[in-house]
Structure formats: structure tokens, C-alpha cells
Amino acid sequence: MNKFQRRQITLTLLLGLACLPASALDHTEIAFKAKALAAQPFTPPKYYPALSALTYDDMMALRYRTAKSPWLEDGKFYLQFFHLGNFNTHSVKINLVENGQIRPWVYNKSMFEWPEKFHGNPGVIPEELGFAGLRVHAPMHPGAMPEEFLLFLGASYFRSRGDGEWYGQSARAVAIDTVLKKEEFPLFTEIWNERPKKGDKAVRIHALIDSESLTGAMTLDATPGDASVMRVQMTLHLRKTIQRLGLAPLTSMFEHGEMSLDLHGDFRPEVHDTDGLLIETASQERIWRPLSNPGVLLDNAFAMDSPRGFGLFQRDRVWDHYQDIGARYPNRTNAWVEPQGDWGKGAIALIQIPTDNEYMDNVVAFWTPEKPAKAGDTLSYAYRMTWHGHPQRKAELWMVRDTRIGRGDVFNGEQATRFVIDFEPGVTPCKATVTQPVPHIQTSSTAKIVENHVDCRPDGGWRAAFNVVTPKQGAQDLSLLLLEDNKPVSETWSYTFQPEHEMR
């Protein structure tokens, strides 16, 4: 098959993705590289012990020299690169695509500022290395100086942010068997960076992915701004059958929040990168699942057909709720994934892992197709990602703002648990509404609602509260929706309650 013929099958890879600007390098060319690679056994990356010995502080001091940055002279988009070391010890081959030509960007020690500890001991670092990853700088709004808004670093991780936001959660190219067994982390092994033309608002990056179970090609068009937007095109070639394949995965951290009863001795009321999972179904139902730090691993699945979108959000953006000067948790970015084309039947997975610190991600969300992922399969799909600091609300629905859990009253000798859910004031405050909404509450079969009511808050939002009696052990699924004339007027609040861990 010649190059012209290969380009003719591009439409089979787009799956509804809107046409993108003309490119010097086509996604299908990277996909064919991935297909050829899938026919070969997986080769683990070379490991350098001296690099893994580098500390976090070493890596912070080992900075890429700005003067060595490709495209710096353009005054808009330019690149910088990460040195190998610490947790990131697999090398990524970097290419620049300029004027229709591909040029390798070769590692050289002189590209980096070296900490004093390495002066006079140059043999610690090998002479010939690749890079751990890259970051892209660009103006976030008209007239601004370029600043970092996108990076690729570690396995197949990448992240972005909106203007004025801080990095928080990360995205990945793909997730494999998360928490089912030893998780597999595919690697970016080669990256192609296309130099934007004058007037271009986006930068295009291609990446080759490799792991024991699959290979893949990713093409990403990233546009910085108040909301930084990505168009992602993916093609996966499976070497092995995968029990749980996660598409468009997001990874975050939740240590404790407003409904955590045990603050682990921390003076800060809340510590998290995101505080909830937002889902929009094909029928336009909005589901809000508050995040938690569970006592045991919590693995939830929201089954549906072709979702409109899902993402992890930091809705609580009040500094006083965190009291952390350095971490800037209220400014952590949100990420919203919108599938392009029909993704069919499957489920949005939300995995929450117990943690006792804020340094390791313990929250994962992704889409899992219902169709099994079998060896020899080729999967092609696309999606749009938006990174921003907005709550992503729908004007016609009351938006969930806060969730609180506490000890309720005793009913017929049984101790109840009290749930309080606050909804954000809408266009019309609750005092000005003609009809008070009615709560529609659903529970697991072993749980029993013993009291509930809806009240108008002084700030104009609704507060729904209920008491529930549950067995002392076992997870209980709860949901609440506000109705007017039997029609939804709010997001659906959803939660999995574990009495033996949360009410200790």
C-alpha cells in the first residue's frame, strides 16, 4: 500500500471528528507505524539506574535552557523538554516537523542547567539520552506573553489547563486493567511536533504508544485560552486481549473534603485536585458524583449508551475552604471529555482508592466499551477535551454544590445517617419560585429513607436533606433528584455510602 492509498482511509479513523487543518504529517501514517509495531514483541525501554537515583529537587533544578527552545523566535508557540530522571526514566524520541520535513531533536547536556552536585562528576549522566517528555508554551490570551499550558511527561500522561488555572488532574492516552490486576501503563515512545504556521491558533502533536498489550497512535490539536481545547484522535492495535480497556482516562487526587469525617490531623479543611465526577448522558441527564477517600477501594460503573460527556471537576473554588497558600487547590483545572461520533454501549468507570496523603493520584475515570477488547482488534475513535475553571452548568438545572454527611436522628431504635445536598442558586432564587421542588430519592434495597425535606437557603439555593437507615456494613448506592411537575429541575446527585468506613 503506497502513501497515497494510506491517506484514503483517513475517514475510517475520524469517527465524526470535524475536519482539521492541513498537516505535513497524517494521523494514518502514525497509525501504520503503530500497526507494524504491534506485529513485533514488546521491548521494554532501557533503564538507567543513575537516573532513577535523581531526587525531586534534582529534577526541579535541572532546567531546560529557554535559549535552546525550538520556535522561540516565532514569538508564540515554543517547546521545552524534560530531562530523564527520578520516576521518569524511559526515553521518548522527539521529532520536529517543519516545512514538510521531519527532523529529530537530539539530546545534548548543554540544553540543561545543571545543579552544582553534578559539576565535576559528568559521568553520572550518560552522554546519549532522549528526553522524558516535553512542554508547550503559548500566549493564553491576546497580548499575553507565552507560558506553559500543555505537557507530556511519564508513561502516556499529558495535561493542560485554562488561562489562570493551575495544573491538577492528568489525562492519559489509554488505561489497561486498572485495579483489576497489576495495571499496565503504556508509554509514549516517539513524538512528532508540527511547527504552527503564522496565524495558527493550535499546535498539533502526534505520539506513538507502546506496551505489552497494545500499540497506538495519538494526534492531538491543542488550542490555549480561557478554556484550552484539544481534539484527540486515537487508533489502538491490540497485541493481547484486555479485560478492562479505559478510553480517555482522567487521573486525579482526593485526600479529604467537606464531607470527610476524619481529617487525618490536617489543619486544612479540604485537600483535593477535583471534588466530583460530572456525567451527561445521551438523554441529557446530568449526574454529579462527589468524590471521597474511601475506607476500601471503590469501583463504580455508570452504564449507558454513547455518553455526551464526562469529566472530573473542582467545583469548590473558595480559598477559605482549603487554607493552603502554596498548593492553590481552588485554582486546579477541570477537564471535560466529549466523545466525537457514536461510542456505542459501555460504562463510565469511577475508581477511588484509599490514600493517606496528597502526593499520589487515587481517582481514575474513563470510558469502557461494552464490546470486549480482543487481541488483533483495531479501535479508532476521537474526542474533544476542554480544560478550564468553570462549573459546566446547564442553565435550566439546579447544580449540585456541596454534599455533607453526619449522624442523623434515631428512628424506632435505629441510628440514621443524615445527608445534606446544597444546590447552587439559579437564575431565579428559590424565594422567587412559585413551586417548591420535590426530592426524588433512590436507594439500595437494604437502605430505608426515614425522613426528607427541601428548604430554601438564604443565598437563594435549595437544600435537600434526608435521613437514611442502612445496615452497618456494605456499600449503599444513593441518588437524589429535584422534580417539579414530575420533571427534573436539577442534576442527579449520586453517591456510594460505606457506613463501616465513613461513620467510624
Side-chain angles (χ1 to χ4, degrees):
M1 183 178 291
N2 60 38
K3 187 174 182 179
F4 176 79
Q5 290 172 320
R6 293 200 304 267
R7 290 180 185 272
Q8 302 311 300
I9 68 169
T10 303
L11 286 177
T12 66
L13 301 173
L14 292 180
L15 289 180
L17 185 68
C19 293
L20 296 171
S23 170
L25 186 63
D26 198 278
H27 177 80
T28 55
E29 296 179 51
I30 311 301
F32 274 99
K33 286 180 178 287
K35 184 176 182 179
L37 187 62
Q40 307 169 20
F42 172 67
T43 302
K46 188 174 180 179
Y47 173 70
Y48 298 93
L51 296 175
S52 61
L54 296 179
T55 67
Y56 174 82
D57 290 336
D58 291 337
M59 301 310 298
M60 293 298 291
L62 220 171
R63 299 175 181 173
Y64 194 85
R65 298 181 187 274
T66 302
K68 302 285 186 178
S69 302
W71 314 337
L72 184 64
E73 65 274 17
D74 292 355
K76 192 171 183 182
F77 293 98
Y78 70 86
L79 306 176
Q80 291 193 343
F81 304 94
F82 292 102
H83 201 283
L84 290 164
N86 198 236
F87 294 114
N88 301 304
T89 57
H90 87 273
S91 177
V92 182
K93 183 180 178 182
I94 301 293
N95 301 287
L96 304 184
V97 184
E98 303 170 322
N99 300 319
Q101 302 295 316
I102 298 174
R103 174 167 63 100
W105 189 253
V106 181
Y107 168 86
N108 189 295
K109 285 185 178 181
S110 66
M111 295 176 172
F112 294 88
E113 298 177 7
W114 289 88
E116 289 187 11
K117 66 182 291 184
F118 294 103
H119 295 178
N121 188 20
V124 173
I125 305 299
E127 287 292 340
E128 295 183 3
L129 291 175
F131 299 94
L134 65 90
R135 52 189 176 190
V136 185
H137 294 68
M140 300 297 283
H141 56 268
M145 296 295 292
E147 56 183 289
E148 182 184 324
F149 85 100
L150 169 64
L151 66 82
F152 292 73
L153 181 64
S156 65
Y157 283 85
F158 61 97
R159 59 171 60 178
S160 187
R161 63 182 183 86
D163 192 7
E165 304 302 317
W166 270 47
Y167 289 133
Q169 63 181 301
S170 299
R172 282 187 277 169
V174 63
I176 298 176
D177 292 335
T178 306
V179 305
L180 294 186
K181 49 187 177 181
K182 184 178 180 180
E183 185 169 2
E184 185 177 322
F185 291 89
L187 308 173
F188 287 134
T189 58
E190 189 167 3
I191 293 176
W192 293 261
N193 304 277
E194 294 200 34
R195 187 172 191 166
K197 299 179 179 64
K198 185 177 181 180
D200 282 354
K201 296 181 179 179
V203 62
R204 174 169 291 176
I205 297 173
H206 309 270
L208 185 66
I209 302 156
D210 197 12
S211 77
E212 290 186 8
S213 296
L214 58 75
T215 65
M218 182 175 81
T219 297
L220 181 149
D221 287 75
T223 305
D226 175 62
S228 292
V229 178
M230 296 178 180
R231 293 181 181 272
V232 183
Q233 210 175 331
M234 294 289 303
T235 302
L236 302 178
H237 300 284
L238 274 63
R239 286 188 173 112
K240 299 179 180 180
T241 295
I242 297 173
Q243 186 175 351
R244 173 188 253 174
L245 180 64
L247 308 185
L250 301 172
T251 305
S252 186
M253 179 277 296
F254 187 98
E255 206 276 337
H256 65 264
E258 64 199 11
M259 59 185 179
S260 301
L261 300 182
D262 181 0
L263 299 185
H264 306 281
D266 200 323
F267 77 92
R268 299 166 297 176
E270 301 188 42
V271 174
H272 47 76
D273 288 332
T274 52
D275 56 11
L277 169 68
L278 180 64
I279 297 171
E280 184 167 355
T281 69
S283 63
Q284 301 188 45
E285 178 189 11
R286 282 288 183 100
I287 301 171
W288 176 255
R289 166 58 68 96
L291 298 181
S292 66
N293 183 358
V296 294
L297 186 145
L298 196 56
D299 191 345
N300 292 108
F302 299 82
M304 63 189 69
D305 190 352
S306 197
R308 293 172 63 93
F310 67 93
L312 295 174
F313 279 68
Q314 184 80 312
R315 276 189 172 172
D316 189 340
R317 309 189 79 81
V318 179
W319 182 86
D320 193 52
H321 294 178
Y322 299 88
Q323 292 292 323
D324 192 314
I325 294 175
R328 300 194 183 183
Y329 287 118
N331 302 106
R332 298 298 173 103
T333 194
N334 305 322
W336 180 245
V337 175
E338 297 172 273
Q340 304 293 292
D342 186 359
W343 279 23
K345 293 183 178 180
I348 294 170
L350 174 64
I351 299 165
Q352 299 173 92
I353 305 167
T355 185
D356 60 1
N357 65 69
E358 63 195 280
Y359 306 111
M360 300 296 290
D361 288 339
N362 67 319
V363 177
V364 186
F366 50 74
W367 172 257
T368 299
E370 183 180 80
K371 183 180 178 181
K374 296 182 178 180
D377 285 352
T378 295
L379 303 178
S380 298
Y381 55 97
Y383 55 96
R384 185 177 187 266
M385 293 190 74
T386 310
W387 304 76
H388 58 76
H390 310 295
Q392 193 103 3
R393 69 182 304 162
K394 293 187 75 170
E396 66 272 23
L397 296 178
W398 292 85
M399 184 183 78
V400 179
R401 185 176 69 183
D402 299 320
T403 300
R404 293 179 173 83
I405 306 173
R407 194 173 302 279
D409 298 327
V410 175
F411 293 86
N412 297 323
E414 294 183 297
Q415 177 64 58
T417 301
R418 186 171 181 81
F419 286 83
V420 176
I421 299 97
D422 287 334
F423 292 86
E424 187 78 16
V427 176
T428 303
C430 55
K431 290 182 180 179
T433 58
V434 176
T435 306
Q436 178 167 304
V438 176
H440 175 66
I441 306 172
Q442 292 183 303
T443 70
S444 300
S445 59
T446 55
K448 180 173 60 175
I449 301 298
V450 290
E451 180 265 346
N452 72 85
H453 57 89
V454 174
D455 297 303
C456 184
R457 287 168 49 99
D459 64 358
W462 292 112
R463 166 169 286 185
F466 64 91
N467 279 286
V468 58
V469 173
T470 65
K472 293 182 179 179
Q473 293 186 335
Q476 304 292 320
D477 290 323
L478 308 171
S479 69
L480 182 144
L481 176 67
L482 298 183
L483 300 175
E484 287 184 11
D485 298 326
N486 290 320
K487 295 180 180 179
V489 293
S490 76
E491 296 175 337
T492 299
W493 171 89
S494 171
Y495 192 70
T496 298
F497 177 52
Q498 303 175 94
E500 67 271 36
H501 298 293
E502 299 186 63
M503 296 305 294
R504 58 188 183 276

